[in-house]
Amino acid sequence: IFIFDIPESRKIRKIVQRKLVALGFFKLQRSIYVRPHPCEKEMDEFIYQFRIWKQGMLLVSPTLGPWEKRVRAYFLMDNE
């Protein structure tokens, strides 16, 4: 789960959103993107490259609560 807080008015926000999609993330909410596979190394590089260490945070979670079904459907994952 990658969450960020970058104002809409900043050009970097759109760049970050496009890069997240390119890395295989799904937009769950306006500033919350998820990916079912480990990506800590790529995201550390991403955060450093775009200098958003104060505006972005990567979280690792075994479940997504009420959003689990929606994310599994998007990534075509079976319901294990």
Side-chain angles (χ1 to χ4, degrees):
I1 304 167
F2 186 73
I3 59 174
F4 61 94
D5 185 18
I6 301 171
E8 294 280 345
S9 60
R10 292 200 48 212
K11 182 179 175 182
I12 189 72
R13 182 181 176 92
K14 289 188 188 288
I15 294 169
V16 166
Q17 290 172 320
R18 285 194 297 266
K19 183 66 173 178
L20 288 168
V21 171
L23 287 171
F25 279 81
F26 166 65
K27 182 178 180 179
L28 189 59
Q29 291 185 0
R30 292 180 67 200
S31 297
I32 302 174
Y33 285 70
V34 297
R35 176 178 147 161
H37 309 291
C39 59
E40 289 87 352
K41 182 179 177 188
E42 295 99 324
M43 289 308 295
D44 283 346
E45 293 170 2
F46 170 79
I47 290 167
Y48 181 77
Q49 176 186 1
F50 290 99
R51 299 179 180 188
I52 57 170
W53 45 81
K54 291 183 180 179
Q55 296 94 0
M57 179 187 306
L58 181 67
L59 305 170
V60 178
S61 175
T63 183
L64 294 173
W67 297 287
E68 185 85 23
K69 187 174 181 179
R70 181 175 167 199
V71 172
R72 285 186 166 279
Y74 177 82
F75 287 106
L76 303 175
M77 300 169 69
D78 60 0
N79 291 327
E80 299 172 351

